Amino acid sequence: MAENISRRQMLGLTAATVGGVTALTAGARAGTAEQPGRYRPAAGSPRTENERPYWEESYSGGPIQVEPLPPGRPGKDYKPVVVPTGYTLPFKIVNGVKVFHVIAEEVDHAFDSGLRAKCWAYNGYVNSTMIEAVEGERVRIYVTNRLPIATSIHWHGIYLPNGMDGVAGLTQPYIKPGETAKYEWTLRQHGTFMFHSHHDEMTQMGMGLIGMFIIHPRQPAPEYHVDRDFAIMLSEWDIPVGTARPNTLEMTDFNTLTMNGKVFPSTGPLVCKTGDKVRIRLGNLGAMDHHPIHIHGHKFRITATDGDDIPLSAQWPETTVLVAVGQTRTIEFVADAPGDWAFHCHMTHHVMNQMGHEFPNMVGVKPGDLDERVRPLLPGYMTMGQTGMDMGRMAEVMPMPANSIPMKGAVGPFGDYISMGGMFTIIKVRDRLASYDKDPGWYQHPRGTVALKASAADLARDGIDVHAPTPSAADGTANGSAPRGGSQGEPGQTRMPGHAH
Ligand SMILES: [Cu+2]
């Protein structure tokens, strides 16, 4: 029957249907007015704030070709961002255009003093090369390919002409080995962005071809001024012990988690003066994992993404920010608490290094000389959670395979080992600082402000019986569920005599 309907009939049918719907709608409206009890959907409120429309155009609403503004100068038009352990790409100005030269090549990269691997880098810095520019200026970026394979660079989050977007094969031909490509456009936005290879991404980004692209606002709001402005790129690697190159085929079990291409303690501290306004720009171009980055001793606001600044009314306080793969997140806070504050990924396996995961769980097992007997077969093997020695310390004193960091951390200010590696660094906040560029050493705690071993006098004063039996959920005696007057007595009284007084 469908084949027999003519075009004219079809048009007529459509018109009738549309008319019908119109009639129905009108009827429903009238009905609603007559019957006050009927559900009436609320009218949507216009989503504007400070005259900023909801439907915003990405490309600043303007044409691709705009008159560029003069190039911005560091220290004059913007305060340079600090890339811990990284590198800010130099530029020159040619006829009002800011010219950069990016070189992709293989390097011998140190993740830490204990681990090196052949990686791919932009301008010699794995994961930590930063391009810094100012809104409105024109950039010309030459990309020289010294890799054995074709590449391209995508400018992640940045508005540009389609042909500058850097997707190899889609928006441009490959940059073949030995070739130099030229990208050029005018920056139409500000914020924290990234750049990375967009050809065989799994291999090339996995080998290290990622970087930060920061564009300062041309007319910054007063709040844009900060005392410290840091950029940290997050990534993850699989570097099997005994190998010279990252295994970019790994999909789940990454063993080297990095900030700007380094693992703790090589990540380098973020040095601040007490009261400093601090911005940290986080980017994640790792392969598979999102990283919840956590700050100690402070709260922060999430103030921007690679989409745009977040309006003040939409920011919320946090202590952990999830930085998903392919995202940037900018956080801002007042560093008003002096001390050495951990700043790290909260995924526990992401503050570890090259430990293997193929071992049975030995917590609770008496290992005897198991470690010594197994180690000839499995170099670096150690039973976890057994000896009084933590894993990090063991990594320091036990013979480990060459060029490996099974669990490397650092000896801390108390002589004990900081058993954190990987995606971990320290925000060092000090009342007095000789220089932002010098590690001020460990924090000197004011007297009485460190959690030390409790004294006998303390225990006696507060009625703490360290030999008291602990409540047991298993036999139902905890949380007041114990039989009153039974042989075990009232948990509250037995455990905390102090409460009875
Ligand atoms: Cu993580």
Side-chain angles (χ1 to χ4, degrees):
M1 182 195 149
E3 297 110 283
N4 297 334
I5 298 176
S6 70
R7 188 163 174 273
R8 182 184 293 267
Q9 282 171 317
M10 185 70 108
L11 286 170
L13 195 67
T14 310
T17 309
V18 171
V21 167
T22 311
L24 255 174
T25 310
R29 274 206 203 103
T32 309
E34 285 153 20
Q35 298 165 29
R38 255 173 98 181
Y39 172 71
R40 186 175 199 166
S45 55
R47 300 191 205 175
T48 56
E49 186 190 82
N50 301 330
E51 307 196 358
R52 184 176 171 172
Y54 177 72
W55 291 109
E56 259 182 343
E57 290 175 78
S58 292
Y59 203 89
S60 301
I64 288 173
Q65 297 301 341
V66 291
E67 192 67 36
L69 297 170
R73 310 268 184 163
K76 194 166 157 279
D77 300 303
Y78 63 90
K79 185 181 181 116
V81 171
V82 176
V83 201
T85 73
Y87 177 69
T88 303
L89 201 64
F91 62 84
K92 52 188 158 187
I93 293 165
V94 181
N95 298 330
V97 177
K98 205 173 255 187
V99 178
F100 297 90
H101 186 195
V102 176
I103 300 166
E105 64 189 338
E106 182 162 297
V107 296
D108 179 26
H109 175 63
F111 290 87
D112 182 78
S113 54
L115 178 66
R116 306 188 78 90
K118 297 256 183 275
C119 299
W120 292 354
Y122 292 127
N123 301 73
Y125 281 76
V126 169
N127 287 5
S128 56
T129 305
M130 181 182 69
I131 293 175
E132 199 169 18
V134 178
E135 188 177 356
E137 69 188 13
R138 192 162 180 83
V139 292
R140 190 180 300 138
I141 307 174
Y142 292 94
V143 177
T144 295
N145 181 7
R146 292 184 188 156
L147 299 168
I149 191 170
T151 192
S152 74
I153 294 187
H154 166 60
W155 316 97
H156 181 114
I158 299 179
Y159 311 145
L160 31 60
N162 185 233
M164 294 291 159
D165 198 40
V167 181
L170 175 65
T171 61
Q172 69 168 84
Y174 293 174
I175 309 173
K176 297 195 187 73
E179 286 183 353
T180 296
K182 186 185 77 172
Y183 295 86
E184 182 170 342
W185 74 98
T186 302
L187 302 174
R188 302 289 305 271
Q189 66 200 122
H190 62 262
T192 302
F193 310 101
M194 305 184 281
F195 63 99
H196 60 83
S197 162
H198 217 301
H199 182 51
D200 191 3
E201 292 188 319
M202 186 192 77
T203 304
Q204 300 197 5
M205 292 171 72
M207 286 293 284
L209 293 180
I210 63 181
M212 283 282 207
F213 198 130
I214 288 163
I215 308 174
H216 293 278
R218 176 67 59 167
Q219 291 168 320
E223 308 84 60
Y224 188 73
H225 168 81
V226 288
D227 302 294
R228 303 293 281 152
D229 198 338
F230 299 103
I232 297 177
M233 177 67 87
L234 310 169
S235 194
E236 59 190 356
W237 312 69
D238 174 44
I239 308 173
V241 171
T243 60
R245 281 191 167 76
N247 168 26
T248 55
L249 293 166
E250 178 55 50
M251 195 162 76
T252 53
D253 194 7
F254 298 93
N255 65 10
T256 306
L257 282 290
T258 54
M259 289 176 153
N260 287 339
K262 302 281 185 182
V263 299
F264 181 76
S266 293
T267 42
L270 310 184
V271 180
C272 306
K273 219 179 310 173
T274 307
D276 273 356
K277 293 186 181 114
V278 182
R279 177 181 296 127
I280 305 177
R281 304 160 188 264
L282 298 158
N284 180 3
L285 285 176
M288 298 294 290
D289 285 301
H290 316 311
H291 303 294
I293 303 295
H294 178 58
I295 196 170
H296 287 219
H298 295 80
K299 63 173 178 177
F300 56 71
R301 285 171 179 270
I302 305 166
T303 57
T305 74
D306 36 346
D308 207 338
D309 295 334
I310 302 174
L312 193 67
S313 61
Q315 297 173 8
W316 68 86
E318 272 289 9
T319 68
T320 302
V321 56
L322 184 65
V323 191
V325 172
Q327 289 184 329
T328 74
R329 289 289 179 270
T330 299
I331 62 168
E332 293 175 14
F333 61 99
V334 180
D336 53 357
D340 289 338
W341 301 106
F343 185 66
H344 62 97
C345 180
H346 217 295
M347 292 204 181
T348 56
H349 286 256
H350 290 183
V351 287
M352 302 293 282
N353 295 328
Q354 286 171 305
M355 58 168 284
H357 294 100
E358 297 81 24
F359 302 120
N361 179 8
M362 297 291 277
V363 174
V365 174
K366 290 190 167 58
D369 61 352
L370 182 69
D371 288 10
E372 288 69 35
R373 293 166 69 175
V374 167
R375 212 168 279 128
L377 300 169
L378 296 170
Y381 175 77
M382 51 192 158
T383 305
M384 281 178 272
Q386 286 306 321
T387 66
M389 203 183 282
D390 60 79
M391 291 178 67
R393 193 53 152 180
M394 286 180 82
E396 289 288 291
V397 299
M398 294 292 184
M400 290 296 155
N403 194 42
S404 76
I405 43 171
M407 179 58 237
K408 193 172 187 307
V411 177
F414 303 100
D416 283 343
Y417 209 80
I418 305 165
S419 58
M420 311 294 280
M423 209 169 263
F424 184 98
T425 189
I426 303 171
I427 300 176
K428 297 197 170 189
V429 184
R430 297 290 184 273
D431 291 336
R432 278 176 297 276
L433 268 183
S435 162
Y436 279 129
D437 304 321
K438 234 185 99 211
D439 187 334
W442 299 115
Y443 180 60
Q444 302 296 312
H445 302 267
R447 236 179 111 79
T449 66
V450 177
L452 299 174
K453 191 174 163 186
S455 70
D458 283 336
L459 297 171
R461 182 193 62 222
D462 295 331
I464 304 295
D465 177 4
V466 296
H467 300 296
T470 49
S472 167
D475 62 14
T477 58
N479 299 323
S481 60
R484 306 245 158 186
S487 59
Q488 295 182 333
E490 185 138 2
Q493 276 184 6
T494 315
R495 273 72 176 182
M496 292 291 288
H499 283 193
H501 296 256

